[in-house]
């Protein structure tokens, strides 16, 4: 080969690279399960995929899956480096996928619709509808399925205590106060709504929050990502309790209302608000079996009348609390209503952080991811015997000691640079004044909510709890 031909070969432009198929599979067995949907990322070689490319998602059996795609990073030459993709519910049963540049499949059978009007944003997944506030205290003003309201007045709650060293110190109760809400994505498969604000009590506002709500086409559930940023005074602004709260309408008869609270693994507390099983008198086998399953009971006129005529004497259990105050154990208790004594209802090691309250005509499932790891955490159900129950997922339990963010020492005389170097020589700690302030630190939590059209079966509850504990994820 001559020198001329060698130089020519070295300067010839490289041929464009063809994009390799992106092979995608679930990280865990079970596929999408009860999760609302999934979003995954794919990396592309430099020069392989042009900036305005569209993508097609195909299941292992060749079926086309509706997908929503958007760029997240570019190579210096302008070609795509990373892309993100949201898969529709049609991906629920497939085990593996291929994604390639190309025309996406048709829109999903149920398409997301997002609308902003006045002081609300409405998101309709085709199965549930969420009305989201853009001002005031209610993040989610209403959550409906078909024409049935499943939950309402979803808001943040905060207890602030000023004097931590006083036993049994009093506290102030704050609620969310929205300053801004806007649409970050509007479908057709995934919609994301962001809400920002602070917690307010009378004229005082503090502890900024940022909430993102994730909805997927056809889903009966949604995901919430909750972040707070500490902006208080570490000497007087102590967090006594921090949570997310919903009101849940209770339409059914007390014996057709149900409580489900997950313990460890697949274990559940499974009770009716008014239990008609295990009584001195038996209402009949069909009645017992239906209540245990969470199904609508036959008319009381068909029961053993020794039970029917005494229904008013069977207690209504309206309040339940699961408290995980350490990594080593949780307690579960119940009572009939406020002002009456608590009854121990179980306990264990590490709870899943999942529950349900509602009736045979529908109810709300709810869960906090990494529940026991985030201890002290807590789940509360209140007033399930009334027209509306209240559910609170405590991201910081009010039954624990207040969150103490004060620095653990007073500086120990390290006022000069030389003294600070001496301290570093013995404890490894690089201390300077103001190094120990918590101002600006943040904490993020993930929650899930389902709008059920009936009391879920035992298998469905286990599947929902699993989606909270280990959200299904596709990966290249």
């Amino acid at each position: 080969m001559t020198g001329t031909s060698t130089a020519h070969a070295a300067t010839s432009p490289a041929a464009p690279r063809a994009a390799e198929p992106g092979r995608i599979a679930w990280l865990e067995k079970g596929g999408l399960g009860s999760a609302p949907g999934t979003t995954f990322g794919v990396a592309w070689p430099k020069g392989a995929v042009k900036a305005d490319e569209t993508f097609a998602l195909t299941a292992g059996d060749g079926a086309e899956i509706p997908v929503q795609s958007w760029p997240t990073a570019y190579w210096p030459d302008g070609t795509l480096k990373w892309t993100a993709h949201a898969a529709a519910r049609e991906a629920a049963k497939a085990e593996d996928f291929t994604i390639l540049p190309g025309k996406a499949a048709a829109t999903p059978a149920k398409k997301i619709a997002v609308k902003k009007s006045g002081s609300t944003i409405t998101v309709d997944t085709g199965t549930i509808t969420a009305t989201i506030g853009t001002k005031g205290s209610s993040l989610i003003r209403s959550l409906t399925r078909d024409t049935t309201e499943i939950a309402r007045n979803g808001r943040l709650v905060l207890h602030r205590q000023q004097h931590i060293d006083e036993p049994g110190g009093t506290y102030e109760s704050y609620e969310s106060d929205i300053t801004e809400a806007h649409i970050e994505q509007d479908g057709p498969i995934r919609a994301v709504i962001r809400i920002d604000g602070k917690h307010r009590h009378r004229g005082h506002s503090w502890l900024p929050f940022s909430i993102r709500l994730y909805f997927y086409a056809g889903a009966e559930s949604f995901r919430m990502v909750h972040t707070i940023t500490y902006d208080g005074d570490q000497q007087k602004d102590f967090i006594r309790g921090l949570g997310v709260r919903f009101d849940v309408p209770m339409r059914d008869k007390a014996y057709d209302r149900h409580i489900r609270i997950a313990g460890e693994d697949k274990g559940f507390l499974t009770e009716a608000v008014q239990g008609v099983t295990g009584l001195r008198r038996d209402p009949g086998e069909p009645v017992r079996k239906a209540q245990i399953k969470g199904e609508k009971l036959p008319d009381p006129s068909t029961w053993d009348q020794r039970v029917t005529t005494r229904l008013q004497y069977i207690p209504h259990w309206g309040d339940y609390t699961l408290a995980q105050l350490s990594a080593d154990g949780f307690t579960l208790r119940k009572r009939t209503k406020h002002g009456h004594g608590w009854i121990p209802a179980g306990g264990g090691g590490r709870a899943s952080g999942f529950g349900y309250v509602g009736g045979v005509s529908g109810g709300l499932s709810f869960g906090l991811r990494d529940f026991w790891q985030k201890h002290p955490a807590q789940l509360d159900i209140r007033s399930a015997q009334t027209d509306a129950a209240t559910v609170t997922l405590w991201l910081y339990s009010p039954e624990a000691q207040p969150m103490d963010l004060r620095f653990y020492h007073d500086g120990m005389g390290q006022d000069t640079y030389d003294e600070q170097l001496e301290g570093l020589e013995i404890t490894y700690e690089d201390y300077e004044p103001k190094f120990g302030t918590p101002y600006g630190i943040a904490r993020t939590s993930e929650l899930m909510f389902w709008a059920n059209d009936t009391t879920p079966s035992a298998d469905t509850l286990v599947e929902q709890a699993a989606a909270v504990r280990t959200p299904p994820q596709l990966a290249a």
Side-chain angles (χ1 to χ4, degrees):
M1 183 178 289
T2 66
T4 302
S5 61
T6 302
H8 177 74
T11 57
S12 296
R17 295 184 62 181
E20 295 287 335
R23 306 292 182 183
I24 314 296
W26 297 105
L27 289 179
E28 307 284 345
K29 291 183 178 180
L32 189 57
S34 286
T38 189
T39 300
F40 60 95
V42 178
W44 301 100
K46 183 179 178 180
V49 183
K50 60 185 181 181
D52 60 351
E53 187 61 86
T54 59
F55 295 88
L57 182 66
T58 307
D61 61 2
E64 293 185 338
I65 306 296
V67 65
Q68 177 180 327
S69 305
W70 61 99
T72 57
Y74 298 89
W75 290 101
D77 65 358
T79 58
L80 288 174
K81 185 176 185 179
W82 278 96
T83 54
H85 310 271
R89 288 293 306 174
E90 283 84 343
K93 295 182 179 179
E95 294 183 0
D96 56 84
F97 307 84
T98 299
I99 191 160
L100 270 173
K103 185 177 180 181
T107 54
K110 293 182 177 181
K111 182 180 177 181
I112 277 204
V114 182
K115 180 181 179 182
K116 185 172 185 178
S117 177
S119 62
T120 62
I121 297 171
T122 302
V123 180
D124 184 351
T125 71
T127 301
I128 62 173
T129 301
T131 302
I132 299 161
T134 61
K135 61 182 179 180
S137 63
S138 283
L139 309 179
I140 299 180
R141 298 185 181 181
S142 179
L143 179 66
T144 62
R145 181 162 181 166
D146 298 324
T147 59
T148 302
E149 186 178 46
I150 301 298
R152 58 175 175 253
N153 194 21
R155 69 272 193 199
L156 307 183
V157 290
L158 167 69
H159 294 166
R160 170 181 173 264
Q161 185 169 318
Q162 285 188 299
H163 305 290
I164 196 171
D165 295 320
E166 296 179 5
T170 59
Y171 60 86
E172 297 170 331
S173 294
Y174 289 65
E175 283 193 347
S176 43
D177 182 34
I178 299 168
T179 57
E180 183 183 8
H182 63 273
I183 302 165
E184 287 193 337
Q185 274 191 317
D186 62 356
I189 291 170
R190 187 178 97 147
V192 182
I193 311 299
R194 175 170 174 167
I195 308 170
D196 292 284
K198 287 190 174 185
H199 299 79
R200 176 180 289 274
H201 171 75
R202 296 177 182 170
H204 181 232
S205 293
W206 76 299
L207 205 64
F209 65 81
S210 179
I211 302 291
R212 279 185 171 88
L213 305 173
Y214 296 81
F215 300 87
Y216 287 83
E220 63 178 1
S221 59
F222 68 93
R223 174 173 168 251
M224 174 188 289
V225 176
H226 168 288
T227 299
I228 57 166
T229 304
Y230 189 83
D231 66 339
D233 182 336
Q234 61 181 320
Q235 297 297 331
K236 65 179 183 180
D237 292 321
F238 301 100
I239 296 173
R240 172 75 177 269
L242 178 70
V244 179
R245 179 172 290 168
F246 278 88
D247 298 328
V248 182
M250 303 294 280
R251 294 168 293 272
D252 302 290
K253 297 290 186 182
Y255 49 73
D256 276 331
R257 302 179 184 185
H258 296 278
I259 307 295
R260 304 287 188 263
I261 300 177
E264 291 184 275
D265 299 324
K266 297 182 180 180
F268 273 84
L269 175 138
T270 303
E271 290 193 358
V273 170
Q274 187 183 37
V276 296
T277 64
L279 301 174
R280 184 177 181 184
R281 307 300 180 189
D282 183 6
E285 184 177 1
V287 178
R288 283 188 284 108
K289 286 186 174 181
Q291 189 172 69
I292 290 170
K293 291 181 179 180
E295 298 172 351
K296 185 174 177 60
L297 300 193
D299 190 281
S301 64
T302 66
W303 305 2
D304 186 317
Q305 291 303 293
R306 292 176 298 175
V307 176
T308 302
T309 58
R310 296 178 176 89
L311 269 176
Q312 66 271 30
Y313 301 119
I314 301 174
H316 294 188
W317 297 93
D319 294 357
Y320 292 78
T321 286
L322 185 149
Q324 179 92 46
L325 302 186
S326 76
D328 301 317
F330 68 87
T331 59
L332 183 58
R333 64 183 190 269
K334 66 178 183 178
R335 67 182 178 185
T336 54
K337 58 183 177 181
H338 178 73
H340 294 268
W342 289 98
I343 306 298
R350 295 172 171 177
S352 299
F354 174 83
Y356 166 85
V357 62
V360 295
S361 65
L364 184 72
S365 295
F366 48 89
L368 169 62
R369 187 180 181 187
D370 297 329
F371 181 79
W372 70 264
Q373 295 94 326
K374 284 184 171 291
H375 67 84
Q378 184 169 314
L379 300 180
D380 282 352
I381 296 171
R382 296 289 184 268
S383 304
Q385 82 283 8
T386 68
D387 291 340
T390 300
V391 169
T392 308
L393 294 89
W394 291 104
L395 314 180
Y396 191 89
S397 169
E399 296 185 7
Q401 288 294 314
M403 187 187 296
D404 191 350
L405 298 177
R406 294 174 296 181
F407 196 57
Y408 74 96
H409 67 68
D410 62 2
M412 298 185 294
Q414 299 177 66
D415 299 322
T416 68
Y417 184 66
D418 289 338
E419 290 167 337
Q420 292 155 16
L421 283 179
E422 283 299 306
L424 183 59
E425 287 294 327
I426 187 64
T427 64
Y428 291 103
E429 182 179 27
D430 187 9
Y431 172 81
E432 292 182 23
K434 297 185 178 180
F435 267 27
T437 174
Y439 192 90
I441 64 172
R443 188 187 194 199
T444 296
S445 303
E446 297 183 37
L447 306 96
M448 291 274 290
F449 300 91
W450 283 261
N452 304 283
D453 57 1
T454 188
T455 298
S457 68
D459 289 343
T460 298
L461 288 165
V462 168
E463 193 175 74
Q464 290 178 348
V468 173
R469 187 171 54 251
T470 309
Q473 181 65 59
L474 286 171

